[in-house]
Amino acid sequence: MEFSDIASVSGKGTLFNIVQPTRTGVILESLDEHKKKMVATMHNKVSILSEISIYTTDAEGAVPLEDVMKKIHKEFDGDTDLDKNSSPEELKAFLKFVLPDYDESRVYVSDIKKVVSWYDQLVKQAPDVLAEKKEEKKKETKKPAKKKEEDKGE
């Protein structure tokens, strides 16, 4: 599973796996243990996690949510010690630690709560999306080895 396979629906508290598109929307399945399915139509506000970014004050202007989530996972390894009842100051300090140049005027506390909530859900229900892709690393290390073998054969 990848970030492009996971969606959030406005008004729903959980994240969803994108199962299949339909003519009028998309079939979603909750990532939680209930695995409830729903059809999201054009009346639902569906956001795919790979298309979400967090505003920054640097030249780029934004950082993809996937990069932020992976950095959180690298720093905290699944336990941020935050939840939806954490104080605004704690939440802002948390995001400032993870993303020092986030735009404080455009990123609201409610946005940080979503990030924390989504991270907690991903750690519990889809930890593979937060792990670094080992296959890519293996492919990179195998390529030079193949070239050396080919060179020896010539």
Side-chain angles (χ1 to χ4, degrees), residues 100-115:
D101 56 349
Y102 87 94
D103 190 344
E104 296 180 38
S105 64
R106 295 170 74 186
V107 178
Y108 303 108
V109 172
S110 59
D111 299 326
I112 302 170
K113 285 182 180 182
K114 283 182 194 173
V115 169

Side-chain angles (χ1 to χ4, degrees), residues 3 13-15 31-33 49 65 68-70 72-73 76-86 91 94 112-130:
F3 267 77
T14 189
L15 292 175
L31 287 180
D32 61 11
E33 62 277 353
L49 293 192
L65 180 64
V68 175
M69 291 290 195
K70 287 183 177 181
I72 292 170
H73 193 63
F76 295 93
D77 196 31
D79 186 19
T80 61
D81 202 31
L82 296 171
D83 60 16
K84 64 182 180 178
N85 298 323
S86 297
L91 293 165
F94 164 74
I112 302 170
K113 285 182 180 182
K114 283 182 194 173
V115 169
V116 170
S117 172
W118 290 345
Y119 175 73
D120 290 341
Q121 289 180 50
L122 289 174
V123 165
K124 292 175 187 166
Q125 299 154 357
D128 53 318
V129 299
L130 296 171

Side-chain angles (χ1 to χ4, degrees), residues 42-149:
M42 64 181 168
H43 300 294
N44 299 105
K45 184 172 178 359
V46 178
S47 301
I48 299 171
L49 293 192
S50 64
E51 296 177 0
I52 298 173
S53 295
I54 296 179
Y55 293 116
T56 60
T57 56
D58 63 3
E60 293 179 20
V63 174
L65 180 64
E66 181 175 3
D67 295 348
V68 175
M69 291 290 195
K70 287 183 177 181
K71 187 169 182 183
I72 292 170
H73 193 63
K74 184 178 178 183
E75 294 288 334
F76 295 93
D77 196 31
D79 186 19
T80 61
D81 202 31
L82 296 171
D83 60 16
K84 64 182 180 178
N85 298 323
S86 297
S87 72
E89 293 77 25
E90 284 180 306
L91 293 165
K92 288 178 184 178
F94 164 74
L95 191 57
K96 192 74 164 171
F97 176 76
V98 174
L99 191 62
D101 56 349
Y102 87 94
D103 190 344
E104 296 180 38
S105 64
R106 295 170 74 186
V107 178
Y108 303 108
V109 172
S110 59
D111 299 326
I112 302 170
K113 285 182 180 182
K114 283 182 194 173
V115 169
V116 170
S117 172
W118 290 345
Y119 175 73
D120 290 341
Q121 289 180 50
L122 289 174
V123 165
K124 292 175 187 166
Q125 299 154 357
D128 53 318
V129 299
L130 296 171
E132 290 192 32
K133 296 179 181 174
K134 294 178 182 176
E135 292 175 8
E136 288 180 8
K137 288 183 179 179
K138 287 180 183 176
K139 287 179 184 176
E140 289 174 8
T141 57
K142 286 182 180 178
K143 286 180 183 177
K146 286 182 181 177
K147 288 181 182 177
K148 288 180 184 176
E149 289 173 12

